[in-house]
């Protein structure tokens, strides 16, 4: 298998999908992230998809303990992490068994043969060794004694125990993949020097193993030459790779800066939303006040208190936490205080699939509170535009004096993509309703004539004292009122206030076609999958298929009915059992909405979507 060879010119590819899989302790997330970041530095368009088990450390070698990281890089537009993979790196039998289905026939599989012992084969429920029984004949299999070669590379490095040496094998696989796709080692070696600055032995070890993998790949006859993916043609600007949760945190930082308010986060850790808390804690120098509460209720109520005191207040959670926050969100609705609630959706119910993606909290966001309690509901759709919609959620909350629920999901929150860096000056203005001076005949529930947003009077300001709480308010004074007609009037005002938001959000637009045979509707994190599938159909000549993606759920854009009326069939695609379709059927009952649903904890597959679309046209 090993021989000296002359390096040929790299073969050019438009795009490639690579998946690294192994035990949760094998460093697959780090391996994938390093490959992604290196490719981004080169200028490729990128989308990633981490996929890891719920257990902190699942049993080694078990089928449910497999951790993976998939990356799609291209010189062309990349909008999803890809479906089928071109290269699968499997560090043990369990990783191979749970991921082989995704590898395209005839494409490359790299395995660590040292891990294919009887113990690990039994854990993966293999009766025979797949490396010996002929079951992998349809693939180009590269068998590497990766653990042994790692130990050999590090035999002269002092101060390393056996566990540390074995864990370095992920860098051997990364070095191989770097050679295969003509990537530079420079960025990753720089990462070692920064991360392990105080531990020179780890810098030396990881660098040696990375180089060992790189030059080993160069000797393999099974890899006749390397490949190259040219930089993508992207809009001019400065870019960085950003994860959805990080982008969400930064969007709030920008909104606080633009509005001139301090940012307060009251949150309780929950997968997959916790990284927003982790990110904001780093930015105390921007005036961020981050409070890790003892539970979900304390998190949201502390944020309401901060809002009452004049801060831009947010709270972050996932589905189970949103359920616990329901009563307090009702309090923010009653008091008409600005509040942003971020719900990074995951599979459910209960603990469910905490590390998998789903869109199953939409109806909870819309209706999961007691009483007549409407809120603004918006949804981000890509890792990068989590920044935009975090900013937008803050803008709408401040301008309309009401809670806003921002929905993301595990797919886009943990995924990453190139983000064109924005300055605060580029962001739209935020008009706060905060008042600091007493006006003649002032009342706490005086309202803006257009938005119906009430005054935001800060406690402690002389002359602006007023009562606040969860009991119904008098429509003008804010004092407690049990008067039936006043309650009905206030109920209608709070609902109308949300409805008028449609005049402060963009109109709905369609991609690929503005009228025709089929309109595909999506919302939230399904954007990449749906956009990619319809683009492929358009390239194949299906020019009467349009795509409408909803980022604004409640209220919907004011031209929604007009857009939908231009298509013969409407198909709503969701990663749930049909929640947005149900809302559309209630609000737009004259239309016939077809459904395509998936509830597997995974994003849509391109082939499945295209098959369904072609079936309908």
């Amino acid at each position: 298998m090993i021989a000296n060879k002359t390096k040929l010119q790299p073969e050019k590819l438009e795009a490639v999908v690579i998946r690294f899989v192994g035990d949760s302790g094998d460093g697959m997330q780090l391996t994938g992230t390093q490959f992604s970041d290196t490719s981004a530095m080169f200028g490729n368009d990128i989308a990633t998809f981490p996929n890891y088990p719920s257990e902190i450390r699942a049993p080694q070698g078990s089928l449910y303990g497999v951790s993976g990281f998939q990356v799609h890089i291209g010189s062309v537009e990349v909008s999803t992490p890809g479906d089928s993979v071109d290269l699968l790196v499997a560090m043990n039998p369990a990783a191979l068994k749970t991921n082989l289905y995704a590898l395209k026939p005839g494409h490359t599989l790299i395995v660590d043969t040292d891990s294919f012992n009887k113990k690990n084969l039994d854990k993966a429920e293999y009766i025979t060794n797949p490396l010996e029984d002929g079951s992998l004949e349809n693939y180009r299999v590269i068998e590497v004694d990766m653990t042994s070669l790692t130990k050999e590379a590090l035999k002269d490095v002092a101060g390393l125990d056996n566990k540390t040496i074995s864990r370095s094998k992920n860098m051997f696989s990364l070095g191989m993949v770097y050679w295969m796709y003509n990537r530079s080692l420079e960025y990753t070696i720089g990462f070692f020097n920064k991360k392990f600055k105080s531990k020179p032995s780890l810098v030396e070890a990881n660098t040696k193993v990375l180089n060992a993998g790189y030059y080993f790949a160069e000797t393999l006859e099974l890899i006749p030459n390397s490949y190259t993916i040219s930089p993508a043609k992207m809009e001019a600007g400065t870019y960085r790779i950003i994860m959805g949760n990080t982008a969400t945190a930064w969007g709030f930082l920008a909104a606080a800066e633009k509005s001139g308010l301090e940012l307060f986060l009251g949150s309780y850790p929950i997968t997959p939303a916790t990284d927003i808390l982790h990110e904001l804690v780093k930015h105390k120098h921007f005036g961020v006040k981050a409070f890790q509460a003892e539970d979900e209720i304390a998190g949201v109520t502390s944020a309401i208190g901060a809002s009452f005191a004049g801060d831009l207040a947010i709270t972050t959670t996932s589905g189970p936490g949103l359920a616990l926050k329901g009563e307090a969100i009702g309090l923010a609705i009653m008091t008409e205080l600005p509040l942003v609630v971020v719900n990074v959706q995951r599979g459910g119910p209960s603990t469910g699939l905490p590390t998998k993606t789903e869109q199953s909290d939409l109806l909870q966001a819309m209706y999961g509170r007691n009483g007549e309690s409407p809120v603004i509901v918006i949804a981000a759709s890509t890792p990068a535009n989590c920044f935009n919609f975090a900013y937008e959620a803050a803008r709408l909350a401040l301008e309309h004096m009401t809670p806003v629920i921002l929905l993301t999901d595990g797919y886009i929150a943990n995924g990453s993509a190139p983000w064109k860096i924005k300055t605060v000056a580029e962001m739209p203005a935020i008009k706060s309703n905060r008042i600091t001076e007493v006006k003649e005949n002032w009342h706490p529930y005086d309202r803006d004539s257009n938005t119906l947003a009430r005054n935001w009077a800060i406690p402690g300001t002389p002359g602006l004292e007023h009562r606040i709480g969860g009991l119904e308010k008098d429509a003008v004074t804010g004092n407690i009122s049990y008067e039936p007609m006043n309650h009905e009037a206030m109920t209608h005002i709070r609902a109308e206030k949300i409805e008028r938001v449609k005049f402060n959000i963009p109109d709905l637009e369609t991609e690929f076609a503005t009228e025709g045979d089929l309109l595909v509707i999506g919302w939230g994190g399904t954007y990449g999958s749906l956009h990619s599938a319809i683009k492929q159909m358009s390239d194949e000549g299906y020019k009467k298929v349009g795509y409408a993606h909803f980022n604004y759920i409640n209220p919907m854009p004011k031209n929604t009915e007009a857009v939908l009326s231009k298509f013969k069939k409407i198909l709503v695609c969701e990663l749930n059992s049909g929640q947005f379709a149900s809302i559309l059927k209630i609000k737009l009952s004259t239309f016939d909405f077809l459904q395509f649903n998936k509830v597997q904890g995974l994003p849509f597959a391109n082939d499945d979507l295209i098959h369904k679309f072609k079936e309908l046209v």
Side-chain angles (χ1 to χ4, degrees):
M1 184 183 297
I2 302 176
N4 292 325
K5 64 183 180 184
T6 301
K7 185 170 181 178
L8 305 174
Q9 280 295 106
E11 179 184 340
K12 285 191 174 181
L13 301 175
E14 280 195 341
V16 66
V17 180
I18 302 168
R19 185 181 295 183
F20 301 91
V21 284
D23 267 326
S24 55
D26 282 339
M28 295 296 94
Q29 305 301 319
L30 175 62
T31 306
T33 299
Q34 284 299 305
F35 185 84
S36 303
D37 290 350
T38 296
S39 298
M41 295 289 287
F42 184 71
N44 296 132
D45 199 3
I46 288 176
T48 72
F49 180 45
N51 193 357
Y52 47 89
S54 304
E55 292 82 357
I56 294 173
R57 184 57 60 87
Q60 194 171 13
S62 63
L63 292 170
Y64 58 89
V66 174
S67 175
F69 190 103
Q70 183 164 310
V71 55
H72 185 184
I73 65 173
S75 60
V76 293
E77 179 189 19
V78 170
S79 55
T80 76
D83 297 335
S84 300
V85 301
D86 302 290
L87 171 65
L88 177 65
V89 179
M91 304 299 280
N92 64 13
L96 175 63
K97 187 164 191 177
T98 54
N99 288 274
L100 184 62
Y101 73 92
L103 182 62
K104 298 174 184 175
H107 284 249
T108 304
L109 167 67
I110 297 175
V111 294
D112 177 13
T113 53
D114 286 330
S115 68
F116 279 72
N117 53 45
K118 187 178 186 307
K119 181 180 179 181
N120 284 338
L121 289 168
D122 289 344
K123 286 183 179 180
E125 300 177 9
Y126 275 117
I127 298 174
T128 58
N129 189 335
L131 303 182
E132 300 171 352
D133 63 11
S135 60
L136 301 177
E137 289 180 352
N138 289 335
Y139 308 99
R140 182 171 64 172
V141 183
I142 300 174
E143 299 182 22
V144 185
D145 301 328
M146 212 173 293
T147 304
S148 300
L149 290 168
T150 298
K151 290 178 179 178
E152 178 66 22
L154 298 180
K155 65 182 180 181
D156 298 326
V157 180
L160 299 179
D161 56 33
N162 286 331
K163 183 177 181 182
T164 301
I165 291 172
S166 296
R167 289 182 67 181
S168 300
K169 65 184 178 182
N170 62 327
M171 289 300 113
F172 195 98
S173 68
L174 181 60
M176 291 185 66
V177 178
Y178 275 165
W179 187 89
M180 291 176 65
Y181 294 99
N182 211 32
R183 308 281 98 166
S184 170
L185 307 181
E186 183 179 345
Y187 176 85
T188 297
I189 293 172
F191 169 81
F192 296 153
N193 281 282
K194 184 177 179 180
K195 182 176 179 64
F196 304 118
K197 185 178 180 180
S198 61
K199 299 178 180 178
S201 62
L202 292 181
V203 175
E204 181 185 2
N206 282 284
T207 302
K208 275 195 168 186
V209 177
L210 184 72
N211 278 296
Y214 185 90
Y215 292 113
F216 178 82
E218 192 175 33
T219 67
L220 292 178
E221 288 187 354
L222 279 173
I223 312 176
N225 64 299
S226 63
Y227 306 97
T228 186
I229 298 96
S230 300
K233 296 178 181 178
M234 303 173 75
E235 183 183 351
T238 303
Y239 288 81
R240 65 153 287 162
I241 291 293
I242 197 167
M243 291 180 64
N245 276 338
T246 304
T248 300
W250 289 9
F252 290 128
L253 289 171
E257 180 71 19
K258 191 75 171 185
S259 62
L261 303 175
E262 291 189 348
L263 179 62
F264 178 90
L265 168 65
S267 185
Y268 180 74
I270 184 171
T271 302
T274 308
D275 282 340
I276 303 173
L277 170 62
H278 291 165
E279 182 62 31
L280 285 176
V281 164
K282 301 175 185 177
H283 300 290
K284 294 179 181 178
H285 55 286
F286 285 136
V288 175
K289 293 170 283 190
F291 169 54
Q292 181 175 317
E294 65 269 28
D295 56 39
E296 294 283 3
I297 298 170
V300 65
T301 50
S302 67
I304 293 172
S307 177
F308 179 52
D311 282 357
L312 170 55
I314 61 176
T315 185
T316 56
T317 192
S318 191
L322 185 63
L324 291 167
K325 294 180 190 291
E327 181 182 1
I329 294 172
L331 174 62
I333 293 167
M334 179 63 81
T335 55
E336 298 187 53
L337 286 169
L339 173 71
V340 179
V341 182
V342 182
N343 178 14
V344 186
Q345 299 169 96
R346 67 192 205 185
S350 186
T351 309
L353 303 173
T355 61
K356 310 300 180 185
T357 197
E358 207 163 278
Q359 293 183 296
S360 54
D361 295 343
L362 180 57
L363 292 180
Q364 181 181 204
M366 287 285 291
Y367 307 118
R369 295 166 297 282
N370 62 293
E372 299 282 346
S373 51
V375 296
I376 300 170
V377 180
I378 64 175
S381 49
T382 69
N385 79 16
C386 283
F387 176 92
N388 299 57
F389 285 100
Y391 186 96
E392 180 73 342
R395 182 186 74 84
L396 293 173
L398 292 170
E399 292 186 359
H400 295 270
M401 291 295 291
T402 188
V404 176
I405 296 180
L406 169 61
L407 298 174
T408 70
D409 58 58
Y411 178 53
I412 59 174
N414 292 319
S416 60
W419 173 64
K420 185 180 177 184
I421 296 174
K422 298 183 178 183
T423 65
V424 173
E426 294 177 81
M427 304 302 292
I430 296 178
K431 303 171 185 177
S432 171
N433 286 275
R434 183 170 168 171
I435 59 172
T436 56
E437 296 181 359
V438 181
K439 297 180 181 179
E440 189 176 353
N441 296 320
W442 173 82
H443 299 100
Y445 281 77
D446 291 339
R447 299 181 182 277
D448 181 280
S449 59
N450 293 317
T451 65
L452 297 182
R454 77 169 183 90
N455 292 314
W456 189 13
I458 307 306
T461 306
L464 296 183
E465 297 87 353
H466 61 285
R467 300 186 68 175
I468 199 164
L471 291 169
E472 184 60 276
K473 306 285 175 287
D474 179 83
V476 177
T477 66
N479 293 331
I480 296 170
S481 173
Y482 296 108
E483 208 278 319
M485 297 305 293
N486 176 79
H487 171 58
E488 184 166 353
M490 289 295 283
T491 299
H492 291 320
I493 286 172
R494 289 188 288 264
E496 177 63 19
K497 183 170 70 166
I498 302 303
E499 186 63 23
R500 290 192 186 186
V501 173
K502 67 185 178 186
F503 299 108
N504 195 15
I505 59 175
D507 280 349
L508 181 66
E509 297 181 354
T510 59
E511 297 183 62
F512 305 105
T514 56
E515 58 183 351
D517 296 329
L518 175 66
L519 177 66
V520 176
I521 287 177
W523 68 274
T526 57
Y527 174 80
S529 302
L530 296 172
H531 171 87
S532 178
I534 299 168
K535 182 179 185 300
Q536 183 175 329
M537 287 193 66
S538 180
D539 292 344
E540 292 177 7
Y542 291 85
K543 300 298 184 182
K544 293 187 177 182
V545 178
Y547 177 40
H549 195 83
F550 283 79
N551 295 108
Y552 297 89
I553 309 295
N554 192 45
M556 295 180 193
K558 59 183 179 297
N559 68 326
T560 297
E561 187 171 356
V563 170
L564 270 55
S565 65
K566 296 178 181 178
F567 291 85
K568 296 176 184 176
K569 294 180 180 179
I570 302 171
L571 177 68
V572 186
C573 300
E574 305 179 70
L575 298 179
N576 57 41
S577 296
Q579 296 188 19
F580 189 46
S582 298
I583 294 169
L584 288 168
K585 289 172 184 176
I586 292 170
K587 294 182 176 290
L588 300 165
S589 58
T590 59
F591 293 91
D592 182 20
F593 293 101
L594 305 174
Q595 295 178 216
F596 186 62
N597 303 103
K598 181 177 181 178
V599 194
Q600 299 175 12
L602 295 169
F604 283 120
N606 202 61
D607 290 346
D608 293 342
L609 291 170
I610 290 174
H611 177 77
K612 182 65 177 180
F613 300 161
K614 289 182 177 180
E615 178 185 288
L616 291 174
V617 299

